[in-house]
Amino acid sequence: MATQTPAARPSRIGSAVMAGLGLVRGPFGRGRRRRQEELLLELLRQLTLMTEEMRRANLIQQYRLSVEQMDRAIDDPSLAAAMSTLRGLSEHRRRQMIFANRQYGVLLMAHRVGVYDWDELVGQLRVLCRNEVFAEYWASTVEHRRSVPDESLESRVGSVVDAMLEDLRDDPDEWWVVGSGEE
């Protein structure tokens, strides 16, 4: 009968190896878990960015459809009459009002998708406010803006445009001094 020494028993050697692996795996296990958490956070960040980009793409596509309709209305007086809610305008003036609306919309869209920051948007609006057709469009559509929620971008922009047009009426030579407002 052969005797085995306790150090040579497979179960004890296996236990010692397993215990040693446990000590070695411990720090690596925590590192792997941390790395997995970092990867998960990065995936969530990328998903958030992709979701925002999809929202912007949908917004641009919706705006593109609106612009196509406005362009068709500008080209065809019968469509312009169907699109516009303004009364008492000649065909020519109605087309100009639709175009003024289109220009205003272009500026808002540029801000929404990040082409213009707030100050750049305000600067572009200052120039647009110098246009007499736009000023008439703005005055004619004041009722349209009453239903816009106060916390919306369009409401904040509308307040800035109202102030610009008022300042421009009061002192046309100082139109550029209007404050940039706050976003």
Side-chain angles (χ1 to χ4, degrees):
M1 172 165 175
T3 60
Q4 293 181 333
T5 58
R9 282 193 193 146
S11 63
R12 287 193 178 175
I13 291 175
S15 295
V17 168
M18 294 307 287
L21 282 175
L23 290 174
V24 170
R25 252 190 239 153
F28 291 114
R30 280 182 253 133
R32 184 179 354 179
R33 187 174 17 232
R34 187 173 324 133
R35 178 69 181 140
Q36 287 173 340
E37 289 172 0
E38 289 171 359
L39 286 173
L40 182 59
L41 289 173
E42 178 61 21
L43 283 172
L44 288 174
R45 188 182 74 74
Q46 291 292 327
L47 182 60
T48 301
L49 291 173
M50 189 171 60
T51 302
E52 179 61 23
E53 197 58 36
M54 288 176 65
R55 186 192 72 76
R56 284 184 179 149
N58 289 336
L59 186 63
I60 292 167
Q61 182 61 24
Q62 187 278 327
Y63 187 72
R64 185 175 292 136
L65 293 171
S66 295
V67 165
E68 286 173 8
Q69 286 182 322
M70 285 186 235
D71 287 346
R72 290 177 64 194
I74 290 168
D75 292 340
D76 184 342
S78 64
L79 296 178
M83 177 177 263
S84 178
T85 60
L86 302 178
R87 300 179 192 269
L89 298 175
S90 68
E91 289 178 6
H92 178 74
R93 197 57 159 184
R94 184 178 312 281
R95 289 177 179 164
Q96 288 179 324
M97 294 293 149
I98 292 170
F99 192 80
N101 174 269
R102 186 178 185 276
Q103 290 305 104
Y104 173 68
V106 166
L107 296 177
L108 284 181
M109 178 57 65
H111 175 68
R112 283 186 174 120
V113 299
V115 174
Y116 295 145
D117 66 18
W118 180 254
D119 291 334
E120 291 169 321
L121 172 63
V122 169
Q124 294 292 325
L125 290 167
R126 284 184 182 143
V127 174
L128 188 59
C129 285
R130 296 284 295 172
N131 184 286
E132 291 176 17
V133 175
F134 178 77
E136 182 182 337
Y137 156 77
W138 196 258
S140 299
T141 57
V142 67
E143 291 298 321
H144 297 89
R145 291 186 297 283
R146 293 197 196 283
S147 64
V148 176
D150 291 340
E151 62 279 353
S152 70
L153 171 65
E154 191 155 356
S155 178
R156 292 191 312 268
V157 171
S159 296
V160 170
V161 171
D162 287 340
M164 285 180 197
L165 288 170
E166 186 177 320
D167 288 349
L168 185 58
R169 277 188 301 271
D170 292 344
D171 191 355
D173 294 330
E174 295 293 321
W175 68 276
W176 56 270
V177 179
V178 176
S180 67
E182 297 288 324
E183 180 177 26

